[in-house]
């Protein structure tokens, strides 16, 4: 049984962490919403990396497909020199200060890709920005797109090899992404009416000291059930959430077929937990 909270014969399930072609996912927002409906999900949060560009199309598809689409984002952030991801859930995607942050990231990601391409060139594995931009399509440029460009150019046999050999953390063409401060991003998420949730703290290896500081900066919750979390992570994070009075969420971090081996809705929350989260978000509305 996947770690899903279910009760009745027809349990309501909600997916709170998913990606589209507007970042490193492979499905369009409309196709992702259709996939959610097919999977029997009542609601779906679109949480692309550093952009809300896919939310509007998903909302539109949700209205005809009977899926309750939640405005979301997964921000890259820095907290005490740790690289972390912050989910914003129930956000208004039209909020000015939120959009100002996403615009900054658009430029940051482009410049960082350019620097990685420079390193790849000097390592004898040149790829063009045109190729990376074509592969990333309308979305936030990220390392997965650089990885695909490396495969396309014949420098590596798979994206996995690209990370291991060139662009994974600590590899020779890796460039650390400049990131906005977590406290600032939490403020912006709240300003846009959303809950700020620390994404996959286990796989990001965030220590308790940093979680405490984030809690002091009004972080709302921790993502507990996640494909990259081991049983030990889940247990430890539950303890932290209880101790710091933080909300808890689950998410599949779905990137579409062929990207990762997690199914949409595999790590879902129940309808009851979803309603509780939505109620909690109302304080920022
Ligand atoms: P970026 O935000 O550009 O640094 O890219 C990070 C994204 O790359 C993550 O959200 C994952 O989707 C993906 N990623 C990170 N490490 C790997 C890896 N070793 N293999 C495949 N994809 C990865
Ligand atoms: Fe990703
Ligand atoms: Fe993430
Ligand atoms: Zn994600």
């Amino acid at each position: 049984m996947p770690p899903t909270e279910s009760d009745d014969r027809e349990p309501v399930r909600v997916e709170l962490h998913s990606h589209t072609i507007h970042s490193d996912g492979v499905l369009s927002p409309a196709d992702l919403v259709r996939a959610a409906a097919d999977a029997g999900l009542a609601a779906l949060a679109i949480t692309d990396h550093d952009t809300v560009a896919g939310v509007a199309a998903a909302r539109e598809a949700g209205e005809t497909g009977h899926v309750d689409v939640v405005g979301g984002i997964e921000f890259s952030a820095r907290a005490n020199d740790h690289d972390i991801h912050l989910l914003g859930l129930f956000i208004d995607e039209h909020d000015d200060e939120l959009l100002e942050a996403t615009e900054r990231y658009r430029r940051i990601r482009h410049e960082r890709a350019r620097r990685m391409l420079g390193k790849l060139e000097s390592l004898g594995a040149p790829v063009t920005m045109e190729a990376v931009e074509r592969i990333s399509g309308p979305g936030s440029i990220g390392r997965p797109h650089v990885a695909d460009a490396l495969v396309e150019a014949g420098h590596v046999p798979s994206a996995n090899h690209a990370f291991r050999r060139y662009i994974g953390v600590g590899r020779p063409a890796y460039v650390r992404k400049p990131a906005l401060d977590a406290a600032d991003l939490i403020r912006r998420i709240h300003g846009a009416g959303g809950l700020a949730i620390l994404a996959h703290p286990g796989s990001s290896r965030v220590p308790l000291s940093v979680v405490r500081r984030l809690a002091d900066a009004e972080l709302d919750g921790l993502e507990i059930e996640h494909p990259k979390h081991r049983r030990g992570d889940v247990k430890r994070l539950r303890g932290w959430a209880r101790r710091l009075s933080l909300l808890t969420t689950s998410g599949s971090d779905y990137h579409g077929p062929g990207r990762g081996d997690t199914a949409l809705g595999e790590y879902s929350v129940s309808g009851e937990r979803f309603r509780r989260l939505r109620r909690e978000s109302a304080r920022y509305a």
Side-chain angles (χ1 to χ4, degrees):
M1 264 276 283
T4 296
E5 286 190 0
S6 53
D7 33 31
D8 292 315
R9 293 145 295 151
E10 232 183 280
V12 171
R13 295 186 309 123
V14 174
E15 174 62 72
L16 292 177
H17 191 158
S18 71
H19 296 268
T20 76
I21 52 168
H22 289 278
S23 62
D24 54 355
V26 301
L27 297 180
S28 70
D31 285 344
L32 185 62
V33 169
R34 264 190 290 279
D38 290 346
L41 294 167
L44 169 72
I46 306 286
T47 56
D48 276 312
H49 295 289
D50 302 323
T51 181
V52 289
V55 173
R59 284 196 199 280
E60 204 172 305
E63 275 165 29
T64 48
H66 308 291
V67 175
D68 186 357
V69 169
V70 172
I73 192 163
E74 182 174 14
F75 269 127
S76 309
R78 201 88 89 220
N80 298 88
D81 207 39
H82 285 264
D83 288 314
I84 64 165
H85 287 175
L86 282 175
L87 292 171
L89 297 176
F90 306 103
I91 54 169
D92 167 11
E93 68 273 22
H94 303 294
D95 182 83
D96 282 342
E97 288 198 38
L98 187 87
L99 288 168
E100 196 257 338
T102 65
E103 178 52 26
R104 273 205 240 174
Y105 271 114
R106 199 183 58 75
R107 287 194 295 266
I108 284 171
R109 283 177 166 277
H110 199 274
E111 170 60 16
R112 175 210 192 206
R114 219 183 45 70
R115 288 180 57 205
M116 287 195 284
L117 298 197
K119 291 188 170 216
L120 286 168
E121 168 131 46
S122 60
L123 290 163
V127 295
T128 64
M129 188 56 107
E130 289 69 42
V132 173
E133 283 178 339
R134 172 171 42 76
I135 290 166
S136 80
S140 289
I141 296 178
R143 283 181 293 155
H145 307 118
V146 176
D148 287 350
L150 282 162
V151 175
E152 188 181 270
H155 298 305
V156 285
S158 73
N160 228 330
H161 281 82
F163 275 93
R164 282 215 297 270
R165 185 153 165 209
Y166 293 115
I167 57 172
V169 178
R171 304 309 300 152
Y174 174 72
V175 175
R176 194 183 188 196
K177 199 189 308 144
L180 304 195
D181 179 64
D184 174 49
L185 288 170
I186 291 171
R187 267 196 306 276
R188 288 179 201 247
I189 289 168
H190 290 165
L195 293 177
I197 308 289
L198 181 59
H200 45 70
S203 78
S204 298
R205 300 201 175 87
V206 188
L208 178 57
S209 59
V210 171
V211 176
R212 278 191 199 285
R213 287 190 178 234
L214 292 169
D216 288 344
E218 310 290 334
L219 179 79
D220 297 290
L222 304 179
E223 186 180 46
I224 308 263
E225 287 89 7
H226 180 276
K228 293 227 171 95
H229 283 173
R230 316 289 209 103
R231 217 183 280 266
D233 292 317
V234 170
K235 195 162 173 250
R236 177 171 44 85
L237 293 170
R238 275 195 198 294
W240 293 1
R242 208 173 308 119
R243 219 176 326 158
L244 299 172
S245 301
L246 293 169
L247 300 168
T248 61
T249 71
S250 306
S252 306
D253 210 346
Y254 186 66
H255 285 71
R259 284 238 199 243
D261 44 20
T262 314
L264 186 63
E266 193 172 333
Y267 296 80
S268 56
V269 300
S270 67
E272 193 184 332
R273 199 131 70 97
F274 178 63
R275 284 191 298 277
R276 159 101 201 270
L277 291 166
R278 176 145 31 211
R279 269 202 308 279
E280 294 285 346
S281 78
R283 76 171 92 165
Y284 302 115

